[in-house]
Amino acid sequence: MSFTLYKETRLNCFYVNIAALLKRLPVEESHLVYLFNQAGLFYRDTEDEDEFQISPYYRLLDDFVYGLFGARLHKEAASAGNEYMRMLKAALANGKSAIIESDIFYLPYSGFYKRTHFPHALEVIGCREGTFEICDHYYEYHGFLEESELQAVFDASLNSAFYKRLYVWFLVRTDGPPPEELTPAFCKSVIRDNQANMTGAITYDCLPGSYAGLAAFVPICDKIKSLKTIEEDAVKFKSASYLYEGFKEIANSRYHHHLFLKAIGEHPLAESYLEADQSWMVAANLLMRAATGNQFEAFEERVLARMERVKQKETDNTALLQQWLDRRREGPSDDVRRDESTTA
């Protein structure tokens, strides 16, 4: 094993583990930039009136893992802690590391131990004589847990509000054809799908009732306006947390799409997505300031004004993607990898 912790602060706890699994496959780290390429947007209310979803992702990551790297992301679920432990051991026995889930409240090494509940993902890279080797890439922790400790984490997590079942993920090389080389057609498909999602034309696995792309700004802003009217503090901060975490994840997606665009030579377009990343982070930080002081009414105008700027930036970027696609239809070449030595 050439590394333990994979450090990338702009990936969420699940995605950073996927990147770590791929590096152990092995996949060149420089190739991971092509995997995290989605920069869409959707909003959806859930059956619980206190909960909602905001996400930049409209397509399962599994599709890209297979197409780019020739591996399948397998997952298995258990609703009992002892069965979950059995599945983890089986994955490790086959020489694979595995991603596991837990409520971070129950992880004894965490700074949130017995303080804060929220769902989390981490990697187990081995087991020897009842001791499990842990890589929590998101929090840059590498250490060990005894089987009894890890079993207690599983049992408690399954009794938390977040989990009815827990999943184990691991990667398996396929026996099928080798993965396709990165081609202009792949690069064009990424840009086409991001543009389509932002105009509401593609939603993939978004459930009915979702607001896709630019249309999602209406319910998002309505949710921001509703914060000042919520009387119960716990419900108010829950909604604010969903917004904050969603905005951060959208910002991260724009950052990674900017890296993708740089990698294929589209530097001006990449810079525009970096500006979108920064705009979403400003909105997220304003929400955090409002929540910290419970001053949602005082901050509402500032947050909504920022959201107008964010929407304009997203509208402009969507138009730039369309212009990029139009040029590829009209031009003689389909090559998206430009030789920078020949460009101004």
Side-chain angles (χ1 to χ4, degrees):
M1 187 177 297
S2 60
F3 76 101
T4 50
L5 293 175
Y6 177 71
K7 299 179 182 180
E8 174 48 75
T9 59
R10 298 302 300 270
L11 289 174
N12 64 41
C13 66
F14 181 64
Y15 277 16
V16 76
N17 281 289
I18 296 295
L21 292 188
L22 286 165
K23 279 195 67 180
R24 299 190 201 285
L25 202 55
V27 165
E28 291 291 331
E29 186 170 343
S30 60
H31 294 170
L32 294 175
V33 69
Y34 303 112
L35 175 63
F36 303 108
N37 59 52
Q38 295 182 75
L41 178 63
F42 83 87
Y43 172 96
R44 185 177 73 88
D45 285 312
T46 67
E47 293 180 359
D48 186 335
E49 64 180 11
D50 295 335
E51 297 182 3
F52 51 93
Q53 290 181 308
I54 300 176
S55 174
Y57 309 121
Y58 50 84
R59 184 173 174 183
L60 294 176
L61 198 67
D62 309 36
D63 298 338
F64 293 112
V65 170
Y66 175 68
L68 289 170
F69 307 119
R72 289 294 189 190
L73 186 61
H74 287 259
K75 68 176 181 179
E76 299 178 355
S79 55
N82 58 349
E83 178 65 9
Y84 193 60
M85 177 65 77
R86 185 199 64 76
M87 290 191 309
L88 171 60
K89 288 181 177 180
L92 297 174
N94 288 327
K96 302 174 177 64
S97 64
I99 300 173
I100 61 171
E101 295 182 298
S102 76
D103 184 336
I104 204 167
F105 183 90
Y106 301 111
L107 286 172
Y109 65 80
S110 171
F112 299 97
Y113 182 52
K114 294 186 177 179
R115 291 176 50 208
T116 304
H117 291 273
F118 59 89
H120 189 50
L122 57 145
E123 186 188 22
V124 182
I125 63 174
C127 177
R128 185 176 180 181
E129 298 178 353
T131 300
F132 291 83
E133 188 173 2
I134 304 296
C135 284
D136 193 332
H137 304 280
Y138 191 79
Y139 291 109
E140 300 186 9
Y141 170 82
H142 172 232
F144 300 87
L145 288 176
E146 298 302 314
E147 181 171 342
S148 58
E149 294 178 294
L150 200 54
Q151 185 69 68
V153 170
F154 297 159
D155 293 339
S157 295
L158 282 164
N159 286 320
S160 75
F162 296 112
Y163 299 110
K164 293 181 179 178
R165 62 182 62 188
L166 295 171
Y167 285 91
V168 172
W169 287 269
F170 55 91
L171 282 175
V172 177
R173 284 279 195 191
T174 67
D175 295 327
E180 298 178 4
E181 292 183 2
L182 186 71
T183 63
F186 171 79
C187 299
K188 180 185 283 187
S189 72
V190 168
I191 292 175
R192 183 191 65 233
D193 287 357
N194 276 317
Q195 194 277 339
N197 178 263
M198 290 304 292
T199 59
I202 291 181
T203 56
Y204 288 100
D205 56 340
C206 295
L207 298 174
S210 299
Y211 295 82
L214 297 172
F217 277 94
V218 172
I220 290 172
C221 289
D222 286 345
K223 188 62 68 173
I224 292 169
K225 295 173 187 176
S226 75
L227 292 174
K228 67 178 183 294
T229 66
I230 301 174
E231 295 183 2
E232 187 177 345
D233 282 347
V235 176
K236 182 186 302 183
F237 292 125
K238 183 179 180 181
S239 291
S241 296
Y242 273 59
L243 287 166
Y244 173 74
E245 293 297 332
F247 286 9
K248 276 206 315 179
E249 196 61 25
I250 295 165
N252 287 344
S253 75
R254 273 54 182 170
Y255 173 78
H256 286 286
H257 193 56
H258 133 266
L259 294 180
F260 168 83
L261 291 166
K262 281 180 64 178
I264 65 172
E266 297 296 331
H267 296 279
L269 191 53
E271 287 304 307
S272 193
Y273 270 87
L274 189 59
E275 292 170 9
D277 157 41
Q278 295 163 351
S279 289
W280 281 105
M281 285 304 300
V282 170
N285 291 333
L286 282 171
L287 273 171
M288 179 58 70
R289 289 180 62 188
T292 301
N294 197 4
Q295 300 181 60
F296 293 102
E297 187 166 4
F299 272 83
E300 180 184 290
E301 185 175 344
R302 292 179 63 184
V303 176
L304 292 175
R306 170 55 57 172
M307 291 304 294
E308 279 297 316
R309 295 176 64 180
V310 173
K311 182 180 179 182
Q312 187 58 56
K313 170 53 66 176
E314 291 290 351
T315 301
D316 293 344
N317 283 355
T318 302
L320 289 173
L321 294 185
Q322 184 61 62
Q323 292 169 19
W324 187 97
L325 292 166
D326 290 342
R327 289 196 300 273
R328 291 319 180 275
R329 280 196 289 268
E330 297 167 0
S333 173
D334 207 27
D335 187 8
V336 297
R337 296 195 187 193
R338 297 179 300 184
D339 181 354
E340 290 186 39
S341 65
T342 64
T343 59

